[in-house]
Amino acid sequence: MVLEVAEIKITPGQEEAFKDAYRGAREFVLASPGLRSMRMTQGVETPTRFVLLIEWDSVEAHEQGFRETDRFPKWREAIGPYFSQPPLVEHFDDLD
């Protein structure tokens, strides 16, 4: 299992619109094979900062099962207009 962590910074004043867009578009990610869980969080001190946490079976499940499909451009089309800069996306392994 790998954890995808995406730090997403939203244009100030667009937080509610972004949350609505995310709720409508998350189905594109949830339909991916190899997805274990998906969670979006919003900063308390910095409400324009969101962190998306997705557990995948593997990096390949993320890359091939989602990013290389027709669902990825639909996902980005829905949420991308609210980004103030490109998201920082990285994968992490558990130490346990």
Side-chain angles (χ1 to χ4, degrees):
M1 190 277 304
V2 297
L3 177 66
E4 173 194 357
V5 178
E7 181 182 13
I8 303 169
K9 295 183 179 177
I10 300 304
T11 303
Q14 296 294 307
E15 298 89 349
E16 292 304 316
F18 172 74
K19 289 191 277 189
D20 289 342
Y22 164 76
R23 289 180 184 118
R26 67 191 306 258
E27 67 186 66
F28 298 125
V29 183
L30 291 173
S32 302
L35 179 128
R36 295 184 178 198
S37 70
M38 178 175 179
R39 179 175 157 201
M40 179 73 79
T41 63
Q42 182 178 15
V44 174
E45 291 80 11
T46 310
T48 56
R49 184 174 179 229
F50 291 78
V51 177
L52 176 64
L53 304 165
I54 303 179
E55 290 181 321
W56 297 97
D57 286 343
S58 64
V59 172
E60 293 75 24
H62 175 211
E63 297 293 328
Q64 296 167 8
F66 177 59
R67 290 198 72 147
E68 294 177 11
T69 72
D70 63 342
R71 293 184 317 279
F72 179 71
K74 293 174 185 174
W75 160 256
R76 286 302 288 262
E77 182 180 336
I79 65 170
Y82 305 100
F83 297 168
S84 64
Q85 63 189 57
L88 173 63
V89 180
E90 295 182 340
H91 297 96
F92 294 84
D93 285 320
D94 284 339
L95 295 180
D96 297 334

